[in-house]
Amino acid sequence: QVQLVESGGDLVQPGGSLRLSCVVSGRFLSINAMGWYRQAPGKERESVASITRSGITNYADSVRGRFTISRDNAKNTMYLQMNSLKPEDSAVYSCNAEVVQPYGRFPYWGQGTQVTVSS
């Protein structure tokens, strides 16, 4: 089976930085697009950033210029470098990946990692 595991969430002060990681493991042929999502209490889940297998990126307006998404295809790992963090960035961050398996392409989700920005 396929598993996505996030790590790197923490409590950080406003203006600080964090780097999240998402590792994909299990049986699959390849990974297509990957993305980071976040959900704060009482709010809907929103897309933060996405990256194609070839490295084309897209960002939400609220994080553009502060967050950087990247991936290492050899390690089946995706990253989110978050700088200049704001209290409104506090949320559970989850990763998503479209995984190619012999019988088709399927989306998988991680369990999420908590990011809290507070003084």
Side-chain angles (χ1 to χ4, degrees):
Q1 303 305 321
V2 175
Q3 285 189 319
L4 276 63
V5 178
E6 303 97 335
S7 62
D10 205 346
L11 170 63
V12 64
Q13 292 188 343
S17 298
L18 282 175
R19 188 173 88 147
L20 306 183
S21 299
C22 171
V23 179
V24 184
S25 62
R27 297 175 62 87
F28 54 90
L29 299 177
S30 63
I31 304 169
N32 288 339
M34 303 180 76
W36 287 100
Y37 292 76
R38 67 186 182 187
Q39 186 168 21
K43 295 187 177 182
E44 293 188 355
R45 184 171 62 192
E46 63 174 346
S47 174
V48 176
S50 63
I51 184 167
T52 67
R53 182 171 178 81
S54 62
I56 298 172
T57 60
N58 190 42
Y59 296 92
D61 289 342
S62 59
V63 306
R64 187 174 290 112
R66 298 188 297 122
F67 291 9
T68 302
I69 189 172
S70 62
R71 63 189 285 175
D72 185 334
N73 292 331
K75 296 181 179 180
N76 297 322
T77 301
M78 175 178 63
Y79 306 97
L80 186 67
Q81 178 66 43
M82 304 186 295
N83 299 329
S84 302
L85 282 161
K86 305 175 181 180
E88 52 264 43
D89 294 318
S90 297
V92 174
Y93 284 70
S94 301
C95 63
N96 170 272
E98 182 181 82
V99 176
V100 181
Q101 296 174 294
Y103 38 91
R105 297 175 293 178
F106 303 92
Y108 287 89
W109 290 88
Q111 82 290 346
T113 185
Q114 178 69 50
V115 172
T116 302
V117 185
S118 175
S119 55

